[in-house]
Amino acid sequence: MKFRQLFALMEIPAPDPERLLRRIKIMEHDIMLPVKTVFIGIILYSFRSAAWFSETYTSDLATQTVQLIFWFYIPANVFLGMLILGMKRLPLAVVQWTVVTSSLIDGMFITGLALLSGGLDSVLFWLFVALIMRNAVSVPPGFSQLFLNFAISLCYVLVGVLDVAVLSNLDESELQALQLAPHEDLGQPFVLRLVVLLLMTVGCYGTQLLLERQEIAMEEAREFGIRESQLRSAGRLAAEVAHRIKNPLAIINNAAYSLQRSLRENRDSAAQQIEIIQEEVERADRVITQIMGYAQLSEGRVEKLNVVEELDRAIAQVFPPAMPTYIKVHREYAPPFPPLLMQRHHLSEIFVNLLLNAREALGEKGNIFINANQRRDHSIDISLRDDGPGIPADKLERVFEAYYTTKEKGTGLGLAIAKHNIELYGGKIRADSEIGIGTRFAVTFPSKSVLNESLPI
């Protein structure tokens, strides 16, 4: 249990795709591409001006091997560089694959250069440190970053192992000529440098953890403020509109009542018209009263909601455990999910109304399948499907209209309210149905929901 809590504490949610792409652009496009261009140019120039690392203790075969690797390094970087230049038109997964591959290739090539330029004593050791810092910026936090930085550390281990192997094959005259001291093991300096690389790996990860959590907290605070402000504005507007309309309706109703009293003794067609007026006024009054319900927007409180918990709560509300039923609810969740910043009763209305609609469609028995998963952009997809009779195509287009219902005792408001609440937070809902197979409602909540102010009140 303690290990799970520790892992949960160390887990960093993946950054927003736009922010991650911006970081990759700064590090890979603006910094690494120019640096690599200059670096490759310098090595190409060294091919023509002098032999490679002529004062090295490595064999000609090792030098030729690294040169061959360099000729592979050039086209690989040209290809990866073209992908970085066109990263705006590529999927995020391809861009991330490009960054990881580029870092691994750089690590392997620096391994060869370090071996040729002094092995364990090479100043190129600090390039391994720079690679780890680069990966902390460009690679999203998590297993991929830790794996990549540990792989970079292993590249330096390979430098040490090859260094010892090469020195062990040199005789005393060659060691004296190169002013090198023989050693049979890696030694304390190697261990200290490896510790530095591992500490950099853990330190960069920890720093990124703190920065990402701070960024997430700041974003949530901004969204809390924006949503609270917009909900209050929408609530005040709804209350004002309802108040202004209810007053003239009350006057019309009173006038119709007075006219009805005067005609009570001599009832004719005028009296029937008055009844119609009263009925329509009462109907309009009910609609306005429902609109006034939106005044509660200003009274509610935006909360950080857990999708799974809210789904389970809605299921328990529609299908109480104490009440036996032949309708089976099948749940399939794929966590983790980002929190939804919403008013709790809005999200509850969405799930409850969709479940009630499925329960009424099934009748006494059937199955309801609920699936929830997270997209790469951190938006949440929720699918609610039943195996009921289905809805005809000509009626499916109208299921979200207010007061339209295909049920004998339906009010026609449940799905309309669900759709309104979903779109209020920038989400979308879609209905699919086949006769004899069932109906499916697919709901998508964006990762950053900006309240939709264009919705009619």
Side-chain angles (χ1 to χ4, degrees):
M1 188 65 179
K2 292 183 179 180
F3 285 108
R4 290 182 180 178
Q5 294 177 348
L6 179 62
F7 284 130
L9 182 64
M10 295 298 295
E11 183 180 359
I12 310 177
D16 180 76
E18 293 183 2
R19 191 165 79 249
L20 180 57
L21 285 173
R22 186 166 61 250
R23 282 165 36 181
I24 291 176
K25 180 181 182 302
I26 294 174
M27 176 56 68
E28 301 298 325
H29 182 278
D30 300 344
I31 297 178
M32 291 305 299
L33 280 183
V35 169
K36 283 187 179 182
T37 302
V38 173
F39 179 71
I40 292 175
I42 292 174
I43 295 183
L44 284 174
Y45 178 77
S46 70
F47 278 176
R48 300 180 59 184
S49 61
W52 257 28
F53 306 102
S54 56
E55 295 184 358
T56 182
Y57 57 83
T58 55
S59 65
D60 292 337
L61 179 60
T63 303
Q64 292 175 2
T65 302
V66 175
Q67 287 179 339
L68 290 176
I69 294 175
F70 178 69
W71 290 120
F72 164 77
Y73 182 74
I74 292 178
N77 273 275
V78 169
F79 174 71
L80 296 174
M82 292 175 62
L83 294 179
I84 292 296
L85 290 173
M87 59 184 293
K88 292 183 178 180
R89 296 184 294 272
L90 297 175
L92 179 60
V94 175
V95 176
Q96 291 177 312
W97 172 87
T98 302
V99 172
V100 172
T101 304
S102 177
S103 182
L104 286 174
I105 292 175
D106 291 342
M108 290 186 290
F109 184 63
I110 292 174
T111 299
L113 293 182
L115 184 63
L116 292 178
S117 59
L120 292 176
D121 298 326
S122 174
V123 72
L124 296 185
F125 160 78
W126 297 106
L127 288 182
F128 291 103
V129 177
L131 273 180
I132 291 175
M133 297 175 64
R134 164 207 178 182
N135 295 337
V137 175
S138 300
V139 181
F143 176 77
S144 58
Q145 183 187 126
L146 291 174
F147 170 80
L148 184 58
N149 283 338
F150 281 129
I152 297 301
S153 301
L154 287 177
C155 287
Y156 184 69
V157 173
L158 181 61
V159 172
V161 172
L162 293 177
D163 184 35
V164 171
V166 170
L167 286 177
S168 63
N169 291 327
L170 297 179
D171 55 30
E172 293 184 2
S173 60
E174 291 175 324
L175 290 173
Q176 291 176 357
L178 295 172
Q179 297 181 351
L180 295 174
H183 51 267
E184 298 180 355
D185 53 21
L186 297 174
Q188 186 176 6
F190 167 80
V191 175
L192 292 176
R193 290 175 182 176
L194 183 59
V195 169
V196 169
L197 293 179
L198 296 177
L199 287 177
M200 283 296 300
T201 298
V202 176
C204 287
Y205 189 88
T207 302
Q208 195 172 14
L209 183 147
L210 295 177
L211 293 176
E212 287 296 333
R213 289 193 182 279
Q214 182 182 13
E215 184 68 26
I216 291 172
M218 292 175 62
E219 287 184 359
E220 288 181 352
R222 284 195 294 267
E223 286 213 23
F224 268 110
I226 292 173
R227 295 185 183 188
E228 290 281 7
S229 175
Q230 290 180 325
L231 288 173
R232 290 193 189 99
S233 299
R236 287 193 295 268
L237 179 61
E240 183 178 352
V241 171
H243 177 72
R244 291 187 178 183
I245 293 178
K246 284 180 73 71
N247 285 341
L249 285 177
I251 295 172
I252 294 172
N253 190 43
N254 290 336
Y257 179 74
S258 299
L259 182 59
Q260 185 183 38
R261 287 187 60 184
S262 65
L263 296 175
R264 185 174 297 170
E265 297 179 357
N266 186 20
R267 181 177 295 274
D268 55 10
S269 59
Q272 295 178 357
Q273 295 298 321
I274 292 173
E275 289 181 0
I276 294 174
I277 291 173
Q278 287 181 315
E279 289 176 0
E280 291 303 313
V281 169
E282 290 176 0
R283 175 181 174 85
D285 186 74
R286 288 196 304 270
V287 175
I288 298 302
T289 301
Q290 291 168 355
I291 292 177
M292 286 186 68
Y294 290 110
Q296 297 176 357
L297 293 174
S298 60
E299 302 170 1
R301 183 171 62 90
V302 174
E303 301 179 55
K304 185 189 295 186
L305 303 178
N306 183 297
V307 176
V308 174
E309 291 179 0
E310 296 304 317
L311 277 170
D312 291 341
R313 184 180 290 109
I315 293 170
Q317 184 176 345
V318 177
F319 300 97
M323 184 178 296
T325 178
Y326 292 102
I327 297 177
K328 295 182 179 180
V329 180
H330 308 269
R331 316 174 203 199
E332 185 176 344
Y333 306 144
F337 297 105
L340 287 178
L341 303 185
M342 300 175 63
Q343 289 189 11
R344 187 181 299 276
H345 72 274
H346 284 164
L347 189 59
S348 176
E349 280 185 327
I350 294 169
F351 293 153
V352 168
N353 282 323
L354 291 176
L355 287 167
L356 284 174
N357 185 78
R359 189 185 71 179
E360 293 171 1
L362 289 173
E364 296 183 357
K365 62 179 180 179
N367 294 281
I368 298 176
F369 303 89
I370 302 176
N371 298 81
N373 58 78
Q374 179 184 179
R375 294 183 179 179
R376 287 185 175 274
D377 61 355
H378 309 307
S379 60
I380 299 175
D381 284 337
I382 299 171
S383 170
L384 193 149
R385 179 175 61 88
D386 63 66
D387 56 2
I391 303 173
D394 58 331
K395 296 181 179 180
L396 186 64
E397 299 176 355
R398 302 185 59 191
V399 292
F400 296 115
E401 295 181 11
Y403 304 108
Y404 177 80
T405 179
T406 59
K407 308 180 185 70
E408 294 181 0
K409 298 182 181 181
T411 62
L413 288 175
L415 292 178
I417 291 174
K419 183 174 186 292
H420 183 279
N421 287 357
I422 292 168
E423 293 180 347
L424 186 64
Y425 292 90
K428 296 179 181 179
I429 183 171
R430 186 182 73 255
D432 303 307
S433 185
E434 292 187 38
I435 299 298
I437 296 179
T439 303
R440 173 179 173 270
F441 289 93
V443 178
T444 299
F445 290 107
S447 56
K448 289 186 178 180
S449 301
V450 177
L451 291 178
N452 193 339
E453 297 177 340
S454 64
L455 290 176
I457 304 183

